[in-house]
RNA sequence: GCGCCUGUAGCUCAGCUGGAUAGAGCGCUGGUCUCCGGAACCAGAGGUCGGGCGUUCGAAUCGCCCCAGGCGCACCA
């Protein structure tokens, strides 16, 4: 609601400046520091002062006096050295805000452009850890933001089922464990198979480091998997699919779902790479190096040609001298497919059905389901990948540009974020021995390869147990199933909020103490504010069944509303209302900058304001019926906005906790 | 060596395209509660916004130079 008025004010000033002074300057808007200064402010007169060679305050006075009425704006005043502050019509603002808050987010319009968001994409060879959770939670929140903003979104999870990481675990089963494919198949049915592989993967890493000769075993395993033959390929398929199911289960605990699982093996089988390769050769994007350190490789030139003789140009190897394709090469082909630029498509089969009926599809190399949805053909692609891969993402975009797909390159967006590390203290609690040097650092990097990190399911279990203990204490009378459900919602609220409150380019130094906290700036704090608001309405219904809680609007006349908003506590109500009504602009900013943390921040601030309001006004004992209804209106508005904000973060709002 | 990112209160972090006395959580100190649930509320202490120069009417925010950290720069992914 706030952003609507914001635009009106901006437009009115812009038009006035253009008509009166024939000037076209951008009108910056901001929030005044104190409510006595109004709700909207612009420092534009400082800019005008330079152009018109007059004092800013004088210009501001002129504009304020002559600009005339603006809808929803009660008056414009001059303040400070030349600020123009707008004061809104409070009463009408409330009715509009209430109306808007009751409207549900619309389905995307028919012609809405399609957005693909790729996230999670965990190597299917071990359990998911805390770093993977940040990726999935950020990606999922962004998907929700896009959906809320009226975009058609498709969520993809890339499955690297033919890469070295899977190869390492295959090697572990074959060489270290001496298992057959059938034995692995049986083991893969165990629920904690991903945990088993987590440890095995770390053992294999050590095994390979002990003797560099053993790296040849890995190369041979990888080759067999890529070509799809032998016990290696069979095992890779069993392992990667089983672990993928573990990952889907883990993410489902958090309410994170996918539309398509894009498997690397299918990209290979369907020869996506060959098509991309031909195109890149034809258009000169990659060339074969005949000499130098890249002799025999197909390389893509990056940056400028070398200045001095004998200096190698900056380049990225796309095809190795032994003929195998690098990861980036495959990624280029995949990215082209996402935009529908490859001229090839996968087959599709249903892979898994969630409890609510939603189906995740998987790519397939052969037979597909004829009535599968359409995948790919995106207008815009967001790849949620940590910032360490920025270089490779740039290579992919550069390849698209080189191929002449300027538009696709411009809409290939690296949704980048920093890693989750562990505080040295946390690493110690987990029983890892740190070097003296590491112990002094602010954080230490997790490493799946070394089996060093916090597993996602362990963390979720811990959070649920902690939440459960609190719930048991508060609601011993409730049924076991109810308590478990509430504890789950709180645990997820705490975890998702914790991962989303930091802006993307902040390294999260993970610590159990902070992550397990339910107080202060946390998800449960916001959930609790909602519970309080709902309790008021529940209690109201119990105490006074005749109270027309469903028709509050009819109890508070426009005049009463205006009086209450300008009366003794008017500013206080007004600030709460204003904040609640700014959900839309906050979400807009979050979506535009791909920063879900803005929504988290907003939710917390609103919850904080509401808790303060709750503390100061005892609504149910309010004797003045009109005022009571008005306070209930405010409460209902805040509750709806908080629920909406949390929903965008993927957090549920319990009725009690 | 080259590139990208970061440096704001004791700790962890916000601070949008430069704007009015720099904010929050945690921790610390003190207070609130015959209450719609204290997973709460209020108050206080605590900051040369890493340093310097510059641009500007105005700089935590923009530019340059230092200092200190992190991450990239594989015929790994």
């Amino acid at each position: 609601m706030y952003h609507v008025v914001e635009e009106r004010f901006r437009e009115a000033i812009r038009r006035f400046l253009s008509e009166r002074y024939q000037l076209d300057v951008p009108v910056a808007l901001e929030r005044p520091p104190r409510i006595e200064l109004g709700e909207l402010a612009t420092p534009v007169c400082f800019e005008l002062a330079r152009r018109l060679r007059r004092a800013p305050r004088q210009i501001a006075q002129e504009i304020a006096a002559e600009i005339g009425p603006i809808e929803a704006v009660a008056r414009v005043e001059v303040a400070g050295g030349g600020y123009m502050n707008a004061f809104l019509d409070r009463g009408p603002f409330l009715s509009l805000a209430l109306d808007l808050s009751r409207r549900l987010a619309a389905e995307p319009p028919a012609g809405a452009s399609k957005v693909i968001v790729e996230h999670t994409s965990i190597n299917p060879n071990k359990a998911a850890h805390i770093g993977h959770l940040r990726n999935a939670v950020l990606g999922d929140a962004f998907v929700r933001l896009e959906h809320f903003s009226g975009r058609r979104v498709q969520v993809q999870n890339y499955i690297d089922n033919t890469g070295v990481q899977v190869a390492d675990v295959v090697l572990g089963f074959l060489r270290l464990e001496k298992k057959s494919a059938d034995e692995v198949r049986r083991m893969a049915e165990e629920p904690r198979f991903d945990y088993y592989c987590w440890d095995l993967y770390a053992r294999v890493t050590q095994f390979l480091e002990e003797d560099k000769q053993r790296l040849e075993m890995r190369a041979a395993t990888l080759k067999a998997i890529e070509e799809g033959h032998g016990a290696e390929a069979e095992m890779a398929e069993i392992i990667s699919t089983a672990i993928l199911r573990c990952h889907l289960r883990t993410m489902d605990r958090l309410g994170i779902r996918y539309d398509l699982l894009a498997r690397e093996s299918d990209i290979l089988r369907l020869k996506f790479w060959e098509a991309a390769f031909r195109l890149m050769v034809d258009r000169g994007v990659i060339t074969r190096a005949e000499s130098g350190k890249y002799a025999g490789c197909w390389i893509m030139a990056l940056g400028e040609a070398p200045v001095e003789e004998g200096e190698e140009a900056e380049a990225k190897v796309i095809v190795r001298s032994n003929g195998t394709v690098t990861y980036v090469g495959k990624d280029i082909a995949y990215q082209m497919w996402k935009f529908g630029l490859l001229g090839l498509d996968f087959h599709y089969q249903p892979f898994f059905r969630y409890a609510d009926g939603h189906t995740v599809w998987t790519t397939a190399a052969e037979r597909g389901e004829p009535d599968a949805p359409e995948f790919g053909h995106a207008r815009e692609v967001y790849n949620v990948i940590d910032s360490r891969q920025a270089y490779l993402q740039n290579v992919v975009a550069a390849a698209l540009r080189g191929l002449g797909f300027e538009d696709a390159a411009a809409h290939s967006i690296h949704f980048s974020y920093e890693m989750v590390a562990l505080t040295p203290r946390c690493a110690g609690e987990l029983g890892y021995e740190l070097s003296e040097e590491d112990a002094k650092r602010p954080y230490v990097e997790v490493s799946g390869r070394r089996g060093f990190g916090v597993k996602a399911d362990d963390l979720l279990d811990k959070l649920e147990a902690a939440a459960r203990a609190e719930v048991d204490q508060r609601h011993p009378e409730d049924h076991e199933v109810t308590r478990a459900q509430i504890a789950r919602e709180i645990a997820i609220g705490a975890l998702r909020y914790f991962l989303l409150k930091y802006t993307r380019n902040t390294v999260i130094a993970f610590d159990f103490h902070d992550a397990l906290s339910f107080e202060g700036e946390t998800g449960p704090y916001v959930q609790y504010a909602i519970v309080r608001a709902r309790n008021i309405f529940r209690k109201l219904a119990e105490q006074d069944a005749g109270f027309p809680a469903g028709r509050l609007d009819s109890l508070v006349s426009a005049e009463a509303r205006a009086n209450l908003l300008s009366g003794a506590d008017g500013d206080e109500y007004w600030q709460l209302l204003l904040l609640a009504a700014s959900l839309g602009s906050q979400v807009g900013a979050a979506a535009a900058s791909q920063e879900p943390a803005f929504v988290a921040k907003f939710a917390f601030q609103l919850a904080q304001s509401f808790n303060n309001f709750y503390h100061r006004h005892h609504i149910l004992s309010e004797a003045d019926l009109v005022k009571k209804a008005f306070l209930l209106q405010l409460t209902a508005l805040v509750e709806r906005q908080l629920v909406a904000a949390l929903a965008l973060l993927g957090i549920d709002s319990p009725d009690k906790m």
Side-chain angles (χ1 to χ4, degrees):
Chain A
M1 175 54 211
Y2 180 74
H3 57 295
V4 177
V5 187
E6 211 173 38
E7 272 321 302
R8 276 186 200 149
F9 183 57
R10 190 199 304 273
E11 190 46 39
I13 294 176
R14 188 166 19 214
R15 193 176 313 135
F16 183 83
L17 296 181
S18 149
E19 284 167 11
R20 183 76 199 298
Y21 308 112
Q22 285 78 50
L23 282 175
D24 184 24
V25 291
V27 180
L29 290 185
E30 57 188 75
R31 234 7 203 274
R34 295 184 308 280
I35 199 70
E36 305 90 82
L37 295 170
E39 294 79 35
L40 277 166
T42 175
V44 74
C45 296
F46 296 108
E47 175 65 23
L48 294 174
R50 188 207 323 249
R51 307 208 185 195
L52 300 174
R53 299 181 175 284
R54 287 169 54 196
R57 196 176 165 88
Q58 194 194 8
I59 301 171
Q61 273 159 347
E62 192 170 289
I63 299 174
E66 297 178 29
I67 194 162
I70 303 168
E71 196 186 348
V73 174
R75 63 182 197 281
V76 176
E77 283 183 4
V78 177
Y83 281 95
M84 274 198 299
N85 297 344
F87 294 76
L88 306 187
D89 267 330
R90 299 183 175 187
F93 187 91
L94 174 56
S95 1
L96 276 171
L98 285 167
D99 279 353
L100 275 174
S101 75
R102 275 190 280 255
R103 265 179 237 163
L104 296 169
E107 278 301 302
S113 66
K114 182 169 165 184
V115 177
I116 285 179
V117 177
E118 181 199 318
H119 68 71
T120 307
S121 305
I122 311 169
N123 268 296
N125 74 325
K126 61 181 175 305
H129 61 61
I130 178 82
H132 300 127
L133 282 181
R134 187 179 195 186
N135 181 301
V137 165
L138 268 173
D140 182 68
F142 181 62
V143 167
R144 290 165 194 262
L145 278 171
E146 288 292 288
H147 186 77
F148 185 86
S149 311
R151 321 283 291 282
R152 214 148 51 87
V153 196
Q154 209 157 60
V155 187
Q156 300 191 357
N157 182 355
Y158 183 69
I159 313 302
D160 187 2
N161 56 351
T162 55
V164 271
Q165 295 211 19
V166 169
D168 280 356
V169 173
V170 168
L171 193 152
F173 277 115
L174 283 171
R175 303 295 181 114
L176 300 182
E177 308 259 285
K178 316 277 187 210
K179 297 279 197 253
S180 70
D182 282 337
E183 284 171 303
V184 173
R185 199 188 310 276
R186 271 193 297 279
M187 294 174 75
E189 282 164 17
E190 296 295 317
R192 295 277 194 172
F193 183 62
D194 55 342
Y195 276 43
Y196 187 88
C197 291
W198 172 280
D199 294 330
L200 180 57
Y201 182 43
R203 280 166 56 206
V204 172
T205 301
Q206 208 183 354
F207 174 73
L208 293 174
E209 278 171 359
E210 281 164 7
D211 181 358
K212 295 293 171 198
Q213 299 284 314
R214 292 172 178 165
L215 288 175
E216 285 171 22
M217 287 157 97
R218 173 200 268 170
T221 308
L222 185 59
K223 195 164 180 331
I225 294 170
E226 279 193 8
E227 291 168 3
H229 58 66
E232 287 91 346
E234 189 184 355
M235 232 181 239
E237 174 63 26
I238 296 164
I239 295 165
S240 63
T241 304
I243 298 227
L244 170 58
R245 287 193 190 275
C246 292
H247 291 163
L248 291 184
R249 201 182 314 129
T250 302
M251 295 307 169
D252 194 28
R253 288 179 79 179
L254 286 155
I256 298 172
R257 291 162 185 205
Y258 311 90
D259 298 313
L260 179 67
L261 308 168
R263 307 195 309 166
E264 187 176 74
S265 57
D266 297 321
I267 292 181
L268 293 176
R269 305 282 135 77
L270 292 167
K271 311 220 180 290
F272 277 24
W273 164 246
E274 279 78 352
F277 176 74
R278 270 195 299 278
L279 210 56
M280 285 197 281
V281 172
D282 286 350
R283 303 201 181 165
V285 176
I286 59 176
T287 51
R288 195 178 152 87
E290 300 301 337
S291 61
K293 66 173 169 178
Y294 297 132
C297 298
W298 286 90
I299 58 172
M300 188 174 132
L302 294 169
E304 286 158 28
V307 189
E308 288 178 41
E309 191 71 18
E311 195 175 303
E312 296 268 352
E314 203 188 328
K316 176 72 196 164
V317 172
I318 305 295
V319 181
R320 304 185 187 101
S321 54
N322 69 0
T324 57
V325 190
T326 59
Y327 169 78
V328 209
K330 288 179 252 184
D331 218 28
I332 292 167
Y334 178 39
Q335 188 76 359
M336 286 172 68
W337 170 82
K338 284 178 183 168
F339 283 104
L341 296 172
L342 200 58
L344 291 172
D345 201 0
F346 296 104
H347 299 291
Y348 302 98
Q349 286 174 359
F351 183 78
F352 176 76
R353 218 176 143 87
Y354 290 103
D356 70 350
H358 180 75
T359 298
V360 205
W361 292 74
T362 177
T363 56
E366 288 153 19
R367 334 167 285 287
E369 193 76 30
D371 53 349
E374 185 197 73
F375 293 104
H377 298 97
R379 165 97 180 101
E380 215 167 0
V381 173
Y382 291 87
N383 294 322
V384 181
I385 308 180
D386 81 71
S387 61
R388 286 172 292 190
Q389 296 198 43
Y391 169 69
L392 295 174
Q393 285 290 300
N394 285 337
V395 172
V396 171
L400 289 178
R401 203 168 290 120
L403 286 166
F405 301 126
E406 283 293 339
D407 196 58
H411 290 95
S412 294
I413 296 154
H414 178 198
F415 185 107
S416 140
Y417 65 94
E418 275 289 352
M419 63 183 171
V420 181
L422 306 181
T423 60
R425 188 180 69 170
C426 180
E429 284 167 14
L430 289 166
Y432 298 110
E433 297 234 351
L434 295 181
S435 66
E436 216 170 295
E437 198 183 343
D438 275 347
K440 280 187 215 144
R441 293 169 186 256
Y443 52 79
V444 283
E445 208 170 326
V446 306
S447 166
R449 192 164 277 288
R450 289 190 291 140
F452 175 55
V454 177
K455 292 191 213 55
D457 281 315
D458 284 348
L459 179 57
L460 275 161
D461 291 345
K462 243 180 161 151
L463 279 159
E464 281 181 15
R468 181 62 191 271
E470 294 285 331
V471 174
D472 285 350
Q473 204 182 336
R474 284 158 218 247
H475 304 288
E477 76 290 354
D478 276 343
H479 191 276
E480 143 97 41
V481 175
T482 310
R483 281 177 298 167
Q485 174 61 22
I486 295 169
R488 248 194 317 273
E489 290 178 0
I490 294 170
I492 292 166
L495 178 58
R496 292 186 78 133
Y497 194 94
F498 176 77
L499 292 170
L500 290 170
K501 73 175 179 179
Y502 299 95
T503 48
R504 287 186 286 124
N505 64 2
T506 299
V507 176
I508 298 180
F510 182 86
D511 197 310
F512 283 108
H513 177 262
D514 296 333
L516 288 169
S517 169
F518 299 150
E519 293 170 11
E521 194 184 347
T522 65
Y525 175 95
V526 182
Q527 289 174 316
Y528 186 66
I530 293 169
V531 167
R532 282 179 143 180
R534 288 179 173 171
N535 268 346
I536 296 174
F537 284 96
R538 192 170 44 76
K539 262 294 190 344
L540 178 71
E542 282 169 19
Q543 287 176 2
D544 183 1
F547 194 91
R551 297 185 293 110
L552 294 173
D553 296 6
S554 64
L555 294 177
V556 191
S557 67
E559 194 190 351
R561 201 145 51 208
N563 285 340
L564 282 158
L565 282 166
S566 60
D569 293 321
D571 280 351
E572 190 204 322
Y573 303 145
W574 175 234
Q575 287 195 72
L576 181 64
L577 161 60
L578 201 56
L579 184 60
S582 63
L583 171 71
S585 42
Q586 298 288 335
V587 171
S593 52
Q594 296 135 42
E595 196 64 272
F598 292 174
V599 179
K601 213 78 190 172
F602 166 77
F604 174 68
Q605 279 170 355
L606 183 55
Q608 207 175 26
S609 294
F610 177 73
N611 271 333
N612 178 271
F613 166 84
Y614 176 93
H615 187 80
R616 290 170 52 100
H617 306 281
H618 198 265
I619 298 174
L620 292 184
S621 59
E622 175 58 54
D624 179 341
L625 280 186
V626 175
K627 185 173 175 188
K628 184 172 179 176
F630 169 80
L631 295 175
L632 285 167
Q633 278 186 314
L634 271 182
T635 302
L637 172 69
V638 170
E639 190 262 348
R640 280 196 291 267
Q641 304 292 76
L642 283 176
V643 169
L646 286 190
L648 285 167
L649 304 176
I651 299 173
D652 284 330
S653 304
D655 287 320
K656 59 156 78 169
M657 61 187 276

